[in-house]
């Protein structure tokens, strides 16, 4: 098989992507910051930092701590709010070839719905990712840990707009499959899994948490096995596509997630220490697909033998 002939295109419900390599919310700024390092047009999709209805100052420092094979963060959704995003960031994002999936978070259903209405139909908004999984703010994560609330918020947003919807789930639940099923029933086009794993770092001499907010979200290679497990469980639970997230830093990681059931992947923490990692992975993807005897990414998805 010729690696140059490999079909990289995938679909996340109503959202077509030229390839499955996506950058994760909160780890790629609003993309402009990365334009001198990364050929943004090559990315399968771009997910900017989550926005909220009002500006948020975020949590007090420290906001990040390095851990073994990863990092803990409690940024607290620091952002300038939806209107600043529409005015200052969206015009730039709309000019990129890669589809932009706008990540939104609200405290309640009404806030999610209002944000979806505001963004629907604007140039540059290819889809919405509902951040119902941030461990560093109160409110939003409840939608990601209760199936009924999850279904309600997804259905509410689905009714309020015409763009495709991704539901981003937290791993900090007992049964992620049940939450994914609820999101699918609510009308999600795809499931993004996972957001960070709740963690704690301690300065024992001061008897204090290292993060200003106390607990935070663990990300990076440390969480990859948890994310792979979650993606596998979600893929078994629903018929809609799954986007794998968690500790992905190499082509081998990407292939593991595809085989486990992910139709696409998001690269997060790796962007911080290897800003061109997505370009390297894109260079290596066709040969890796070919190595499995496949001629398209789709043929690899969910082929894990258990
Ligand atoms: C510093 C930092 C900020 C993040 N901010 C957001 C965010 O605003 N919205 C969101 O949905 N996820 C956010 N995340 C979670 C990532 O998108 C991703 O789900 C998680 O880090 C796991 O992937 P990774 O191990 O590749 O980083 C953030 C992660 C980090 C490390």
């Amino acid at each position: 098989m010729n690696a140059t002939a490999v079909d990289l295109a995938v679909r996340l419900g109503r959202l077509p992507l030229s390839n499955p390599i996506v950058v994760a919310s909160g780890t790629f700024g609003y993309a402009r910051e990365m334009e001198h390092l990364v050929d943004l047009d090559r990315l399968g999709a771009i997910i900017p930092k989550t926005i909220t209805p009002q500006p948020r100052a975020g949590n007090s420092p420290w906001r990040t701590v390095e851990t073994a094979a990863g990092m803990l963060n409690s940024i607290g959704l620091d952002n300038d709010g939806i209107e600043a995003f529409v005015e200052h960031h969206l015009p730039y994002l709309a000019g990129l070839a890669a589809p932009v999936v706008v990540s939104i978070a609200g405290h309640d259903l009404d806030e999610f719905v209002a944000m979806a209405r505001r963004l629907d139909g604007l140039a540059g908004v290819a889809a919405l990712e509902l951040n119902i999984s941030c461990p560093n703010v109160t409110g939003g994560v409840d939608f990601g840990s209760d199936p009924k609330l999850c279904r309600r918020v997804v259905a509410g947003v689905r009714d309020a707009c015409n763009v495709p919807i991704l539901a981003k789930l937290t791993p900090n639940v007992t049964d992620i499959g049940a939450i994914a099923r609820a999101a699918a029933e609510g009308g999600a086009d795809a499931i993004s899994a996972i957001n960070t794993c709740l963690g704690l770092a301690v300065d024992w001499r001061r008897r204090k948490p290292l993060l200003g907010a106390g607990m935070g979200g663990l990300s990076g290679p440390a969480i990859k096995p948890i994310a792979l497990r979650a993606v596998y469980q979600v893929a078994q639970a629903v018929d809609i596509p799954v986007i794998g997230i968690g500790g992905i830093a190499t082509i081998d990681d990407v292939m593991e997630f595809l085989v486990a059931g992910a139709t696409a992947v998001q690269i997060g923490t790796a962007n911080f220490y290897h800003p061109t990692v997505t370009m390297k992975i894109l260079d290596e993807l066709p040969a890796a697909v070919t190595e499995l005897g496949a001629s398209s990414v789709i043929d690899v998805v969910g082929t894990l033998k258990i």
Side-chain angles (χ1 to χ4, degrees):
M1 194 101 45
N2 180 355
T4 56
V6 172
D7 182 3
L8 301 181
V10 296
R11 280 195 83 87
L12 303 175
R14 292 169 290 165
L15 178 69
L17 305 186
S18 62
N19 69 70
I21 308 303
V22 176
V23 284
S25 183
T27 65
F28 208 72
Y30 294 96
R32 195 199 300 258
E33 302 91 316
M34 304 298 282
E35 70 177 8
H36 60 292
L37 289 167
V38 172
D39 182 355
L40 300 174
D41 290 345
R42 285 185 69 196
L43 293 169
I46 293 169
I47 311 188
K49 173 76 186 168
T50 298
I51 54 170
T52 52
Q54 304 300 328
R56 287 177 57 92
N59 292 334
S60 50
W62 295 347
R63 291 174 165 196
T64 59
V65 176
E66 218 173 300
T67 62
M71 63 182 281
L72 268 179
N73 89 81
S74 83
I75 308 292
L77 294 187
D78 180 344
N79 80 103
D80 293 336
I82 189 168
E83 290 310 324
F85 173 79
V86 169
E87 190 179 338
H88 301 301
H89 298 297
L90 202 52
Y92 172 81
L93 292 164
L96 301 175
V100 173
V101 178
V102 180
S103 170
I104 61 172
H107 272 298
D108 53 33
L109 177 64
D110 291 346
E111 284 195 358
F112 272 103
V113 167
M115 292 184 86
R117 286 215 175 97
R118 175 74 179 96
L119 293 165
D120 192 30
L122 295 184
V125 182
L128 299 178
E129 184 175 77
L130 310 189
N131 181 357
I132 49 175
S133 46
C134 181
N136 301 321
V137 292
T138 52
V141 74
D142 300 340
F143 290 109
S145 21
D146 178 322
K148 276 199 200 99
L149 288 178
C150 176
R151 192 193 154 125
R152 263 184 61 206
V153 76
V154 174
V157 170
R158 177 84 199 225
D159 283 347
C161 68
N162 290 309
V163 286
I165 300 162
L166 318 183
K168 183 166 179 182
L169 303 190
T170 173
N172 307 315
V173 292
T174 313
D175 183 359
I176 196 167
I179 311 285
R181 268 193 300 275
E185 284 164 16
D189 287 81
I191 304 291
S192 303
I194 54 176
N195 209 315
T196 52
C197 301
L198 196 60
L200 175 69
V202 169
D203 177 345
W204 65 267
R205 291 190 173 82
R206 290 171 51 241
R207 302 171 203 244
K208 300 274 283 181
L210 278 170
L211 290 173
M215 289 185 283
L218 184 63
S219 64
I223 68 168
K224 192 181 81 170
I226 297 171
L228 273 169
R229 180 269 300 167
V231 163
Y232 177 74
Q233 288 180 322
V234 171
Q236 298 296 305
V238 296
D239 291 331
I240 57 176
V242 186
I243 304 128
I245 323 164
I248 300 174
T250 68
I251 185 64
D252 290 321
D253 298 334
V254 171
M255 296 305 290
E256 289 169 27
F257 274 84
L258 295 178
V259 167
T263 297
V265 295
Q266 294 180 23
I267 319 285
T269 299
N271 290 305
F272 293 137
Y273 60 88
H274 185 179
T276 55
V277 63
T278 46
M279 301 294 104
K280 184 167 191 292
I281 287 171
L282 277 165
D283 289 342
E284 295 168 342
L285 184 58
V289 171
T290 306
E291 204 180 315
L292 287 180
S295 57
S296 70
V297 165
I298 284 302
D299 290 342
V300 173
V301 173
T303 52
L304 187 68
K305 302 168 189 160
I306 283 195

